Amino acid sequence: MIDKISYSPLNIMSSVQPKDNSGEGAADLGKRFGSFLNEAMTNLNTQQHQVDQLNQSFIKGELSDVHQLTIASEKASLGLELTVQVRNKVLETYQEMMRMQL
């Protein structure tokens, strides 16, 4: 059963908002960003497992409400699409930084 939206773009964007990091070094920011990405991937993986379980229940005839499966599937699809877009932006930014001349 789907209880809440755990991987919404609003939740992600609020966790990436700039904070006062005056005493934080680049290594700390990197670790924080890494933990953010790990959490996002874990949430995405959890959603995919949930879709797989609902799919199996539907195949066995245990799931009477197909809407649950459809909604969970769309959430997982949108989460994956968002993750791919974030990855593309990070790679694009990294490549742009590598092209900069000092």
Side-chain angles (χ1 to χ4, degrees):
M1 174 167 236
I2 301 171
D3 293 328
K4 64 177 185 169
I5 297 175
S6 60
Y7 192 75
S8 76
L10 296 177
N11 291 345
I12 291 172
M13 295 314 293
S14 66
S15 65
V16 207
Q17 293 299 320
K19 298 177 183 172
D20 184 22
N21 297 325
S22 55
E24 201 169 9
D28 294 332
L29 288 173
K31 287 179 185 176
R32 200 172 82 204
F33 184 68
S35 66
F36 165 73
L37 288 179
N38 282 334
E39 182 182 331
M41 293 302 292
T42 301
N43 288 342
L44 184 62
N45 194 28
T46 302
Q47 283 185 339
Q48 186 58 48
H49 284 299
Q50 185 179 30
V51 169
D52 290 342
Q53 289 173 348
L54 287 172
N55 226 353
Q56 290 298 322
S57 295
F58 180 69
I59 290 170
K60 293 177 185 176
E62 299 169 352
L63 184 66
S64 60
D65 188 15
V66 181
H67 295 88
Q68 280 183 317
L69 176 60
T70 306
I71 291 169
S73 178
E74 280 301 311
K75 280 176 42 179
S77 176
L78 288 172
L80 179 62
E81 187 176 328
L82 177 65
T83 303
V84 168
Q85 291 300 322
V86 168
R87 183 206 63 170
N88 289 344
K89 284 293 185 184
V90 167
L91 286 175
E92 184 180 310
T93 302
Y94 174 76
Q95 290 170 348
E96 185 65 30
M97 288 173 58
M98 287 291 128
R99 281 189 234 124
M100 284 185 185
Q101 295 180 359
L102 299 176

